[in-house]
């Protein structure tokens, strides 16, 4: 069976042979069979079609008739485009050594979240303590108490590809939150 790639998010879709083909993409939930392509020809200054100025180069991997069907992101292998800020530092630094160092850091982590922006793995940079002066807890009416009382700790993660920062609750504070929401008095 030929693999199917979602035309919206460029993710390869694998389905169960017993169930059959998907009607919606399981990743982006867009309709797979309703995708349509529009080919628009631009007019030049004289009102004539201006195809000669925009003709592809001979070394272009697309044939002249397929230039309008070129993937929007310039990627034809079905992968999702990555936002890699790191690539702009490649000329000045040894990115292979950087990648090896990142891999060794990731190997030592208990948790390895993915970046929301570029899907690279994130490195644990440290822990940040949130104290009472810097945090005002929300008081949900249904609980009559704050979700989480300070002090608590946040794990700070940095993306190795685009350098976005992400925070998650530390393990102990996750347990404290769960106990508080389930009514466990041992918080």
């Amino acid at each position: 069976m030929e693999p199917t790639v979602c035309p919206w998010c460029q993710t390869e879709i694998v389905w169960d042979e017993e169930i059959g083909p998907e009607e919606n993409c399981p990743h982006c939930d867009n309709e797979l069979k309703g995708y349509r392509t529009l080919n628009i020809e631009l007019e030049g200054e004289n009102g004539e079609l201006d195809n000669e100025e925009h003709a592809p180069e001979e070394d272009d991997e697309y044939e002249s008739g397929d230039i309008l069907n070129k993937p929007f992101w310039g990627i034809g292998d079905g992968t999702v485009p990555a936002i890699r800020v790191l690539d702009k530092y490649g000329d000045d630094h040894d990115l292979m050594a950087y990648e090896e160092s990142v891999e060794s850091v990731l190997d030592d982590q208990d948790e390895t979240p993915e970046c929301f922006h570029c899907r690279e793995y994130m490195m644990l940079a440290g822990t940040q303590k949130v104290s009472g002066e810097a945090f005002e807890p929300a008081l949900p009416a249904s609980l009559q108490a704050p979700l989480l009382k300070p002090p608590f700790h946040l794990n700070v993660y940095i993306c190795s590809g685009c350098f976005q920062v992400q925070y998650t609750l530390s393990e102990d504070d996750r347990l404290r939150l769960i106990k508080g929401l389930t009514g466990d008095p041992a918080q």
Side-chain angles (χ1 to χ4, degrees), residues 97-114:
Y98 173 81
E99 293 288 339
E100 289 174 7
S101 296
V102 167
E103 286 296 322
S104 66
V105 169
L106 294 175
D107 288 342
D108 294 336
Q109 292 181 195
D110 292 333
E111 284 184 282
T112 310
E114 274 189 5

Side-chain angles (χ1 to χ4, degrees), residues 43-135:
E43 292 185 15
E45 294 176 9
N46 316 14
E48 299 175 11
L49 292 179
D50 199 11
N51 289 337
E52 294 177 304
E53 283 185 28
H54 302 290
E57 299 289 326
E58 287 182 21
D59 58 323
D60 194 350
E61 65 181 279
Y62 298 95
E63 295 179 17
S64 61
D66 291 338
I67 191 67
L68 295 176
N69 295 327
K70 182 177 178 182
F72 178 74
W73 295 104
I75 299 173
D77 61 0
T79 59
V80 177
I83 305 165
R84 287 185 51 99
V85 176
L86 176 65
D87 291 340
K88 74 178 184 181
Y89 301 111
D91 296 336
D92 300 330
H93 302 284
D94 182 9
L95 294 186
M96 290 301 290
Y98 173 81
E99 293 288 339
E100 289 174 7
S101 296
V102 167
E103 286 296 322
S104 66
V105 169
L106 294 175
D107 288 342
D108 294 336
Q109 292 181 195
D110 292 333
E111 284 184 282
T112 310
E114 274 189 5
C115 177
F116 293 126
H117 298 280
C118 69
R119 296 187 176 171
E120 289 283 337
Y121 289 121
M122 301 186 83
M123 301 177 291
L124 178 63
T127 304
Q128 180 178 2
K129 182 178 181 179
V130 178
S131 63
E133 304 93 38
F135 179 76

Side-chain angles (χ1 to χ4, degrees), residues 11 17 37 52 72 76 134 148 152 162:
T11 305
E17 292 182 18
T37 301
E52 294 177 304
F72 178 74
L148 195 60
F152 57 89
C162 69

Side-chain angles (χ1 to χ4, degrees), residues 27-56:
H27 302 284
C28 68
D29 203 34
N30 279 307
E31 184 181 348
L32 293 173
K33 295 179 181 174
Y35 183 77
R36 304 291 185 260
T37 301
L38 295 176
N39 293 329
I40 300 172
E41 296 182 14
L42 302 175
E43 292 185 15
E45 294 176 9
N46 316 14
E48 299 175 11
L49 292 179
D50 199 11
N51 289 337
E52 294 177 304
E53 283 185 28
H54 302 290

